[in-house]
Amino acid sequence: MPNTVKKKRTVLYNLKKYKVLYLMFLPGVVFLLINNYLPMFGVVIAFKNVNYADGIMGSPWAGLDNFKYLFGTSDAWEITRNTLAYNVVFILLNLVLGAGLAILLSEVKGRFSSKFYQSVMLLPYFLSMIVVSYLVLAFLGKDSGFMNTSFLPLFGKEPIDWYTETEYWPYILPFVNTWKNIGYYVVIYLAAVIGIDEEYYEAAVLDGAGKWSQVWYITVPFLYPLMIVMTLLQIGRIFYADFGLFYQVPLESGALFPVTNVLDTYVYRTFLIGGDIGMSSAAGLYQAVVGFVLVLVSNSIVRRIDKDNALF
């Protein structure tokens, strides 16, 4: 019997045998195609000079003109620097604080206390960035903000116009981002910490290991694989910025653009002014390609150091 006939029979047999599983698998595949692959058709817009009258396919080709415009502006270095620098800081803070707070929470033995702390840390994650921007305004408002009316006077300091002073925002934005998102990472790392077998700690206690030794030589090594995966996933989006954080929280203050203008906000403002979706699409494609390459490079480095902890 030819191999092709055998393969066809095997495929038909598997389809019949596992038809229920394939039916369960089908909605996920359809969802993935519609939400992840179908929109990839829009990549063609990055290479078009879109004319709404002619439609996407009927519009003339622009070649790499959209990319030239994106990188040919005087703000190209500024927005690239801001996007990369902030995301590197965010990744480091999420990694260190997320794992550290998860380890501390695992030591809270009271059930009510543990749930309370988890809820308090996770609550900001579900807040809209618009709500967060008003909370920040309540602290930093020039005339009625807490910092200017209550905190600074305690030290004899003059009120600060926070929304025009660029020197403070490289610290304010990482603080706000960490406060809002750290609960998400803590929950993920905490789940991994709880899953560590208690026998390892019991054996360490019998050998005379203290609490810090247990954390360093047992907890942290068990968290390595998860840390690497979470870091690689964030590296993949290192050229993407949280639009709400950089647009809503600084209240679109023009004086802060040198330290708050990132790729996403720049594209949005350019689109509002010129209405050029071709340039916006070019920026999105650029972000996706760079993120994909960075994930491949980072994963290859991890694979060379420790093959078992590589993502793929």
Side-chain angles (χ1 to χ4, degrees), residues 7-244:
K7 288 181 180 179
K8 288 182 179 179
R9 288 188 175 181
T10 302
V11 170
L12 291 174
Y13 174 77
N14 288 333
L15 286 174
K16 186 176 180 181
K17 182 179 179 180
Y18 302 110
K19 60 182 179 181
V20 176
L21 295 178
Y22 284 121
L23 286 174
M24 295 173 63
F25 179 66
L26 185 61
V29 173
V30 173
F31 180 85
L32 183 68
L33 290 174
I34 294 175
N35 289 274
N36 294 75
Y37 286 92
L38 191 60
M40 289 180 69
F41 167 75
V43 168
V44 71
I45 300 175
F47 305 95
K48 289 263 191 176
N49 185 10
V50 178
N51 185 325
Y52 292 102
D54 298 329
I56 294 176
M57 298 309 298
S59 298
W61 291 95
L64 298 177
D65 289 348
N66 291 322
F67 295 92
K68 291 178 181 177
Y69 176 80
L70 179 64
F71 298 109
T73 61
S74 59
D75 299 323
W77 159 246
E78 180 180 281
I79 60 176
T80 302
R81 177 203 65 194
N82 290 344
T83 305
L84 282 174
Y86 278 119
N87 278 325
V88 168
V89 173
F90 294 165
I91 291 172
L92 291 176
L93 289 175
N94 291 336
L95 176 64
V96 176
L97 292 180
L101 290 174
I103 293 172
L104 290 176
L105 267 180
S106 67
E107 296 298 321
V108 179
K109 302 305 179 184
R111 185 175 180 180
F112 175 79
S113 300
S114 178
K115 298 298 181 184
F116 174 76
Y117 293 136
Q118 291 179 46
S119 301
V120 168
M121 281 192 289
L122 191 59
L123 178 62
Y125 180 74
F126 297 103
L127 294 179
S128 165
M129 194 57 75
I130 296 176
V131 175
V132 173
S133 68
Y134 279 106
L135 290 175
V136 174
L137 179 62
F139 277 88
L140 303 182
K142 182 180 179 180
D143 298 323
S144 58
F146 173 80
M147 295 294 291
N148 283 344
T149 58
S150 301
F151 185 76
L152 292 180
L154 293 177
F155 302 94
K157 300 290 185 180
E158 294 295 324
I160 298 174
D161 190 355
W162 299 94
Y163 289 92
T164 60
E165 300 291 338
T166 58
E167 59 186 296
Y168 303 107
W169 286 88
Y171 306 98
I172 294 173
L173 290 175
F175 177 83
V176 173
N177 181 77
T178 302
W179 171 78
K180 186 179 189 305
N181 297 310
I182 197 64
Y184 169 78
Y185 294 96
V186 169
V187 169
I188 292 177
Y189 287 121
L190 182 60
V193 172
I194 294 174
I196 300 174
D197 196 332
E198 287 292 333
E199 291 183 359
Y200 292 103
Y201 297 102
E202 293 172 0
V205 171
L206 292 176
D207 289 337
K211 182 60 66 176
W212 285 110
S213 296
Q214 295 175 39
V215 170
W216 188 252
Y217 293 105
I218 298 176
T219 308
V220 173
F222 270 101
L223 289 179
Y224 275 158
L226 181 59
M227 287 177 169
I228 292 172
V229 171
M230 296 298 292
T231 302
L232 288 177
L233 291 176
Q234 292 177 81
I235 288 175
R237 296 189 60 82
I238 199 169
F239 258 74
Y240 290 83
D242 187 334
F243 180 81

